Amino acid sequence: MGLIRVFIVLFFFTSISGNALFSQQKSALPSRQSDSITQKILKKNNLPEARKSETLRNKKIVSLSIVLVIILFFLFYFFYQNNKLKQKIKRKDAKQKILLNIINAGIDSHEIENKKIASFLHDNINSLLSSVGLHLNTFTAQNNIKSEEIQKAKTILQEAHDLLRDMSHDLIPTLLVRFGLIYALEDLCERNSNSSIHFEFSSTISTNKRYSEKFEMKVYFIVSELFSNIIKHSDARKAQISLLENNDQLIIIIHDDGKGFKTEKLNEAEGFGLNRIRARIKKYKGSFAIVSKENEGTSIKIRIPLSH
């Protein structure tokens, strides 16, 4: 009987514990279900906001992508245009270089021919005319002949001799070849001065200073051509040329008090021979600047490196 009572007590206790546990589980189940429902409700409430946030983020990404594409397009466009401009400048520089080479080649060949002709006139024709004049003078003196025809012949021979000498000097000045650039330019000023215009010469360079023959010829003909332009076009009464050396450069300054001109019209002034002058100066990597005002005269400054 005791065992049965113990068994009944144990059964009763177990059933009570089981009911309590079951009731606890039963009470916990609705709690879990309520949490899940709450989460679902919150999720449903947050879903539109999440979608809006994602849509906004996508729009930002698309906008940034469009901006980047536009920036890249403009960068590419500017790079293309810059490259195109560089190519154009290169082609222009190449054309100018070719043109300068052609002009210089023509000038060089012209100067070589001038030198040959001048040497031929001076060394051969003038010598022959001088010899004829000498023999004629000797013959008339020995035979005491005073003929008007012979006197005319002597005069014609002297005129021909002087004409050929001047022509030879214009082609290649004797002073330039024998004594150098400084003497030759000073003589050029004296020969171009007259009652209409006076050329003044000044130089801080020693008269004994000599440069290469080719260089001296180039500079002489540059100045000669500029003098010719002053005489023909400026209506000046006075012109000055100054020579000096500074920082291993030969500097030539020419100024006149003439009527001047508008410097923006220089490109139209083909008759001034500026292309030939520029080509000569560019060959020695020099610079050539003109400052002119109407009715105020013209100033020209030439710089030519001496380390050529």
Side-chain angles (χ1 to χ4, degrees), residues 53-237:
S53 178
E54 188 175 355
T55 304
L56 186 61
R57 189 175 67 245
N58 290 337
K59 283 182 179 180
K60 286 181 180 179
I61 291 169
V62 170
S63 300
L64 285 171
S65 300
I66 292 169
V67 170
L68 284 172
V69 168
I70 292 170
I71 291 169
L72 287 171
F73 172 77
F74 277 108
L75 285 173
F76 176 77
Y77 176 77
F78 286 128
F79 176 77
Y80 172 76
Q81 289 295 329
N82 188 42
N83 192 47
K84 193 176 178 181
L85 183 62
K86 283 181 180 179
Q87 293 297 326
K88 189 176 180 180
I89 291 168
K90 280 183 181 179
R91 285 196 297 270
K92 188 177 179 181
D93 289 343
K95 284 180 182 178
Q96 285 182 345
K97 194 173 181 179
I98 291 167
L99 181 62
L100 286 173
N101 287 336
I102 291 169
I103 293 171
N104 274 312
I107 290 169
D108 289 342
S109 62
H110 181 68
E111 288 175 354
I112 290 167
E113 287 301 316
N114 282 353
K115 190 176 180 181
K116 286 180 181 178
I117 294 167
S119 297
F120 178 76
L121 291 175
H122 184 269
D123 298 337
N124 295 289
I125 307 300
N126 268 1
S127 296
L128 289 173
L129 289 174
S130 297
S131 180
V132 170
L134 180 63
H135 285 298
L136 192 59
N137 287 331
T138 303
F139 176 75
T140 54
Q142 286 178 349
N143 295 280
N144 197 21
I145 297 173
K146 295 182 179 178
S147 169
E148 187 177 344
E149 296 300 323
I150 291 176
Q151 191 62 37
K152 283 183 180 179
K154 285 181 180 180
T155 304
I156 292 168
L157 278 172
Q158 186 61 42
E159 286 178 359
H161 180 274
D162 292 342
L163 185 63
L164 285 171
R165 183 196 61 203
D166 291 341
M167 190 183 298
S168 174
H169 183 87
D170 288 337
L171 291 169
I172 298 293
T174 307
L175 270 176
L176 180 65
V177 176
R178 291 184 179 178
F179 301 105
L181 180 65
I182 310 303
Y183 276 112
L185 290 179
E186 189 173 8
D187 178 67
L188 186 68
C189 287
E190 290 178 7
R191 286 194 299 110
N192 280 286
S193 294
N194 51 46
S195 58
S196 299
I197 185 170
H198 177 68
F199 284 88
E200 287 185 1
F201 177 82
S202 66
S203 172
T204 59
I205 304 170
S206 170
T207 52
N208 297 322
K209 182 69 180 282
R210 293 301 303 264
Y211 306 100
S212 68
E213 183 180 333
K214 206 170 183 179
F215 179 77
E216 288 186 339
M217 284 174 60
K218 286 279 189 298
V219 173
Y220 180 87
F221 285 117
I222 287 169
V223 174
S224 178
E225 195 145 9
L226 290 171
F227 277 14
S228 178
N229 288 338
I230 291 170
I231 293 166
K232 290 177 183 177
H233 306 291
S234 72
D235 292 337
R237 298 288 298 170

Side-chain angles (χ1 to χ4, degrees), residues 3-20:
L3 289 172
I4 293 171
R5 287 180 180 176
V6 172
F7 179 77
I8 291 170
V9 171
L10 287 172
F11 176 76
F12 180 75
F13 180 77
T14 305
S15 62
I16 290 170
S17 299
N19 288 331

